[in-house]
Amino acid sequence: MTAHSADHEPVRTTCPYCGTGCGVLGGPAPMTPGDPEHPTNFGRVCAKGSALGETLGLENRLLHPMVGGRRASWDEALDLTARRFAEAVEKHGPDSVAFYVSGQLLTEDYYVANKLMKGFIGSGNIDTNSRLCMASSVAGHRRAFGEDLVPCSYEDLDEADLVVLVGSNAAWCHPILFRRLTDARARRGTKIVAIDPRRTATAADADLFLPVQPGTDVLLFNGLLAHLARVGRIDRDFVSEHTNGFEDALAKAQSDAPEFYAIAEECGVPFDDLVAFYDLFAATERTVTVYSQGVNQSSRGTDKVNAIINCHLATGRIGHAGMGPFSFTGQPNAMGGREVGGLANQLAAHMTLENPADLDRVQRFWKTQKLATASGLKAVDMFDALADGRIKALWVMGTNPAASMPNGNQVRKALANCDFLVVSDCVPGTDTARHADVLFPAAGWGEKDGTVTNSERRISRQRAFMPLPGETRPDWRIVCDVAQRMGFGEAFGFRNAASIFREHAALSAFENHGERVFDIGGLADLTDHEFEALKPVQWPVPAGQRAGTARLFCDRRFPTPDGRARFIAVGQQAPANATGQGHPVVLNTGRLRDQWHTMTRTGEVARLMAQAPEPVLELNPADAISLGIADGGFAEVSSAWGRAVARVRVTTDQTKGQAFLPMHWTDDVTAHGSPGRVANPACDAVSGQPELKHTPARLAPFAARWEGLFLSRRRFRPRGFGYWARSAVPGGYAYRLAGLEPAGEGIVLGLSLMASQNGLLDYHDRQRGLFRAAALDDGGAMTECLMVGGPAGLPDPVWLMELFADRRVVTAGERRVLLGARSVTPQPSEGRIVCSCFGVGEERIRRAIRDGVGDTAALGRVLKCGTNCGSCLPELRDLVSQEAPAVPA
Ligand SMILES: Nc1nc2c(c(=O)[nH]1)N[C@H]1C(S)=C(S)[C@@H](COP(=O)(O)OP(=O)(O)OC[C@H]3O[C@@H](n4cnc5c(=O)[nH]c(N)nc54)[C@H](O)[C@@H]3O)O[C@H]1N2
Ligand SMILES: Nc1nc2c(c(=O)[nH]1)N[C@H]1C(S)=C(S)[C@@H](COP(=O)(O)OP(=O)(O)OC[C@H]3O[C@@H](n4cnc5c(=O)[nH]c(N)nc54)[C@H](O)[C@@H]3O)O[C@H]1N2
Ligand code: SF4
Ligand SMILES: [Mo]
């Protein structure tokens, strides 16, 4: 049974965000504390993790099933779903239905979804958002090692002398691991190299930063392999005894990357820095190479992964402390999903659809006659099949493909037109849920029980510490309920998460005579009580064992038929869709520090929205000048697939010819800020992972003639605006507005948003082109407020927002200045929020540094910034170095 926190004992659970997999102590406290006993984070959490307690409210939750947009009973929703799936299978065959699931489901949810589709409906058509995330790493691991295996442990980050981060903005996306790394640097002088086309927070904090041209990583690592051979750093014994294919891979690398000058030029890296990186790598035995979406989300992603692994195999730097190739997983349970076989080209428990012995084994284990025998459709193909009507019924669980898939316009159309769409989610209004015929209310974090596996293969428990709200059910139960109604009751009669976990563990060990490394047979006989108490443990955990395995390949054996690892000969190839006339700019997309994906949780927390309250396109000053786009203005970015409009930030962190748009904004929170509509659907031929980091695009000014800010207690989607973006602020929501029409029409549009014009104060300052209106309630507190002005003409709204948040009576004096949006005593501006835990802004930090606060520790003492989660420490270090007085020569 579920442990509730009624006795005030904090419940040990796992953060539901990134693949770092931090242990946290569950509860609705304002700041969620880290679990000091968890071996991943030892008590630390980042800003997102520490705000978990603020995401537990029920205001925006889906609490009961819906059918056709109206409230329905569970029986009705489940019956309808089972019937429509069964009918489609009967009429059009099993491949006419599909599941699209998520690396954010728990392993138990994932296991039953995979079992239902592959085992009992009999189709391979279950794919997952991990296709957009980890598929290239999976494919690269399978090519090199024979199985999808991450050899390293987080301890290897502590014990390395060199850590190379390729296409990973770990300072923002795996903040606790990045902190572990910078702590190790402070202790032992670890060198950190960042390889990224953008100067990210990670790059700014690295010892060496290589600003590679997008998509040139294979060339860079081929050059490295050739260099390692040239300077005699090949581990000949390891290569000859434990690997195959070295000569071919080296020959390919040498022909690809003959000399430094050509590599430096094509990769866009300064010559000296390229040589410095190669020398450092050659000289440093204890090297870990971390890779993430800059590697995976590429039409050459699998080759990038193998180009990196080749360098580790060549030097024998694998299976020892402080070394190895290390894929950081994105989602909390991307790894668990891969364990159960949740990708369309996997079977279950690291068994494959191509191996007849595996098929036979799983068929007997599941006692089914209907096992799928071929791979199903991968994500992009699945939505193509939905668009052209081959898929008649789709069930989406725990993901928002309308927003997160590339070619988002077509995906939205396919979802809108599909015969039968089922969505399981915690919130009702996602871009995908809007099209659903059936909506299932899923239990969320803190309410559901099960396991997740992090980047270092560590299985941790997510434990419930709250009762199920409304009529919500855990995902595994919803799947089993439908399976039962489809006539598969016997195979889905699970009582609880523990019983599913036991079956999953038993399958991993079933007739596994050491061929599959993924073996958790040692956990197959956990009692319910032991499952409840399970401590974090790294797989494999073979039968008879309870302790896990920190590092793989220590015995130099790989799970290939001959026990040897494989070099893969890879050559540099340009991205699938090249820039050119009409679309000269590379559109890159990715993450911000304080937001999680489509913002259904982090977007409702005001302090997490403070870093970036609207979608911002970043571009280089040279591009901004030539396009006539000003910093703080707006740009339209368009591709052959669609368009987006965003605020512009001009920065030298961005290279000329490239632009960056955060992935997080959806149609639910902005008018045209969703980058998926622009992103191209080109995929890696091996892994099927889409190229979300490289879309040929065109930029143009979005010449707004007016801008507005609207504060309201209400959460809604404005209509009729060329630009709007909603963000949570203390006390309600801020709506940033802009349009191409004359300012006078902007005022009319803006006023139409106000709920009531009762107690309305308004003021038009024609000289400054400013219009202001505020609504007061009967008690005299401000309920809504609108400001409209010329482009970039709005005053700093800090004071106004405080008045809105305070909900107190507005004094007569304040009424007069209220409409000036200036405080009675002018306060110095906070600037863009850098430390979201304590709300400390860039301007305040810069002033403090200029006043002599000389380092991050001192900043922490004076302003508190950086003293809770530490996610902003890289940026604080950067600000200190920018503001530090120049040392006289
Ligand atoms: N704050 C936050 N953290 C998260 C998440 C989140 O939503 N928010 N999501 C989690 C998930 S699911 C994932 S997958 C991870 C992703 O974690 P990361 O992969 O670290 O994050 P991204 O921002 O997607 O992309 C990483 C970097 O790849 C770079 N890049 C683009 N093209 C290239 C290229 O050709 N070569 C190289 N070398 N680099 C390139 C981009 O400029 C970007 O800085 O983050 C996880 N953690
Ligand atoms: N342009 C661009 N697009 C990208 C990327 C990029 O870098 N650039 N990155 C890609 C990557 S790596 C990823 S991982 C994806 C992520 O993209 P998505 O998976 O689409 O994003 P999320 O917002 O995490 O969606 C999770 C949904 O599940 C719901 N949810 C939360 N908990 C539960 C639960 O327990 N059960 C159920 N049933 N639902 C739940 C949430 O409310 C939310 O609607 O985006 C991909 N798309
Ligand atoms: S680093 Fe932050 S988001 Fe990731 S698991 Fe840890 S606390 Fe959660
Ligand atoms: Mo991801």
Side-chain angles (χ1 to χ4, degrees), residues 18 48 133 166-170 172-174 195-198 200 212 214-215 217 292-294 304 330-331 588 590-593 595-597 664 693:
C18 82
K48 295 181 297 302
C133 182
V166 195
S168 157
N169 186 9
W172 281 9
C173 298
H174 297 90
I195 301 174
D196 196 303
R198 297 188 299 146
T200 58
V212 283
D217 304 81
S292 192
Q293 299 315 331
K304 289 188 185 186
Q331 304 180 79
N588 178 4
R591 287 154 177 78
L592 299 182
R593 190 189 66 198
Q595 286 307 318
W596 178 259
H597 293 171
H664 306 290
K693 296 281 183 266

Side-chain angles (χ1 to χ4, degrees), residues 104 129 297 399-400 404 424-425 448 475 589 591 597-598:
Q104 297 177 73
N129 59 8
Q297 287 173 342
T399 175
N400 186 359
S404 55
S424 303
D425 207 298
K448 58 194 290 192
D475 288 284
T589 60
R591 287 154 177 78
H597 293 171
T598 65

